[in-house]
Amino acid sequence: MSRSGIVNVRMVITEEKILSNIEKVQKLINPNSKKQIVQLDEDTYFKDMIESIKAYLIEYPKKNNFPASVYKAAYGLVEFATNQFEENTKRIEELIRQREQNIILAGVLKDLIEVVQAKEKGWKDQVKEVEGQMPEDIVETLYIVGKCKDDTSEEYENAIKILNARVNNLESNLHIEIDMERIEDRSKALSYIGIEVADALKSIPTPVEETQQVVEEVAPVQAEQQYVQETTFEVKPSLWERIKNSKIGRAIRYVTKIRLRLDVPTGLPEGQNENN
């Protein structure tokens, strides 16, 4: 990396280290990476790397000579984190809908269990109506209960156990809770990047090298002005506003309180208490 006349050897080493830290952070928040951040509050390694990146951006002595490679990498990190946060938000919304559907299905199944146990008139028609909503094995088990003449038989008791277990699974949604916790902590980490790194980037003008490269590839003065306008954080609201106003400002509040929307409806057993 050649930056002769601008920074000394010590700064070159620091620049390389920061680029390495940015790359490591990006891997930790990449959903396709094998090693991902798990607990933000307990991950001092992750926080230390973010702090080192932030400090480099803020404390760099000559902002007009800021390394284009670091600016580009840091900007890319923030943009990647923002996009990942938005994907997490979509996934959380999907999980909310899935949980709500499961709770409704649990209520339907509980009613059907009572119907087939009592062998109410038209119970077969009621079971048939849910064939497209319920798994095939559950529908078959409902028929077993409804047709069974001896409610003390082993077949009957096993069928009831299976049905009750499915109701409990639908109400508890344990797999959804696990997914929610995992996404919640990833979103906290992504928010942390947006708050710390993006804010520090606002004070840095677009590096000259970055601008010159675009000018050479496109056109003279007009292209330079346009590029500066599109890449400087202070005049480019599309990314910064997405982070600060649309996402980061509500990030922790949205994710940590999302379970308030997942309260089990009245009449259904309450789940485990959540400590947010």
Side-chain angles (χ1 to χ4, degrees):
M1 189 178 298
S2 176
R3 296 190 58 80
S4 177
I6 297 180
V7 292
N8 56 30
V9 175
R10 182 176 179 276
M11 188 58 73
V12 170
I13 295 173
T14 304
E15 179 180 334
E16 292 173 346
K17 178 64 176 176
I18 293 303
L19 287 171
S20 175
N21 284 356
I22 291 174
E23 183 179 0
K24 289 175 182 176
V25 169
Q26 187 141 337
K27 286 181 179 178
L28 285 173
I29 63 173
N30 191 325
N32 298 320
S33 296
K34 292 183 179 179
K35 184 179 179 181
Q36 295 183 37
I37 185 169
V38 178
Q39 293 292 333
L40 174 64
D41 295 337
E42 301 173 5
D43 200 327
T44 55
Y45 173 73
F46 176 83
K47 287 185 175 180
D48 286 346
M49 284 194 294
I50 295 297
E51 188 59 34
S52 71
I53 296 168
K54 176 185 174 182
Y56 187 91
L57 296 172
I58 294 174
E59 298 173 8
Y60 196 87
K62 296 180 180 179
K63 294 292 193 292
N64 289 333
N65 289 331
F66 192 85
S69 58
V70 177
Y71 181 90
K72 183 177 180 180
Y75 188 97
L77 175 63
V78 172
E79 190 163 36
F80 182 78
T82 304
N83 291 335
Q84 286 300 308
F85 189 94
E86 291 176 344
E87 289 301 316
N88 280 5
T89 301
K90 293 177 184 177
R91 179 58 182 153
I92 286 173
E93 290 171 349
E94 290 174 2
L95 290 173
I96 290 171
R97 287 193 293 270
Q98 185 179 341
R99 173 165 178 143
E100 290 172 347
Q101 290 170 359
N102 286 351
I103 291 174
I104 292 171
L105 203 58
V108 173
L109 182 54
K110 287 174 73 173
D111 290 342
L112 278 174
I113 293 173
E114 293 180 3
V115 167
V116 295
Q117 279 185 302
K119 295 178 175 52
E120 294 181 9
K121 184 178 180 180
W123 69 265
K124 290 183 180 180
D125 292 333
Q126 292 187 52
V127 173
K128 189 174 182 62
E129 287 178 3
V130 300
E131 287 185 359
Q133 305 172 41
M134 302 274 184
E136 186 177 342
D137 62 323
I138 293 300
V139 173
E140 291 177 356
T141 306
L142 286 167
Y143 278 121
I144 290 173
V145 172
K147 293 177 180 178
C148 194
K149 296 180 180 180
D150 184 2
D151 59 6
T152 62
S153 67
E154 183 177 353
E155 181 183 35
Y156 181 91
E157 291 179 352
N158 287 339
I160 290 297
K161 286 180 181 179
I162 291 172
L163 293 173
N164 287 335
R166 183 58 61 94
V167 169
N168 289 335
N169 288 339
L170 289 169
E171 288 178 345
S172 66
N173 288 287
L174 182 60
H175 65 289
I176 292 181
E177 291 295 331
I178 293 172
D179 284 347
M180 289 285 291
E181 289 178 4
R182 175 180 56 80
I183 295 173
E184 173 184 332
D185 214 73
R186 284 197 69 247
S187 292
K188 287 181 181 179
L190 296 168
S191 301
Y192 190 70
I193 292 172
I195 293 168
E196 301 296 327
V197 180
D199 195 51
L201 268 174
K202 288 176 66 181
S203 64
I204 301 174
T206 306
V208 175
E209 291 184 7
E210 195 86 353
T211 305
Q212 287 178 340
Q213 182 180 355
V214 172
V215 172
E216 291 173 0
E217 293 177 356
V218 190
V221 182
Q222 185 178 357
E224 178 176 352
Q225 293 173 343
Q226 181 180 355
Y227 181 77
V228 171
Q229 212 172 26
E230 291 179 350
T231 57
T232 303
F233 265 90
E234 292 172 299
V235 290
K236 183 187 178 185
S238 59
L239 178 59
W240 175 245
E241 294 302 323
R242 277 168 58 201
I243 298 167
K244 189 172 183 181
N245 295 335
S246 300
K247 298 301 175 188
I248 299 306
R250 305 196 309 261
I252 302 300
R253 186 170 65 239
Y254 176 78
V255 180
T256 58
K257 292 187 177 180
I258 197 69
R259 288 184 180 79
L260 293 177
R261 295 175 56 188
L262 300 182
D263 287 341
V264 178
T266 304
L268 295 181
E270 294 182 359
Q272 296 180 347
N273 292 330
E274 297 289 345
N275 295 319
N276 290 332

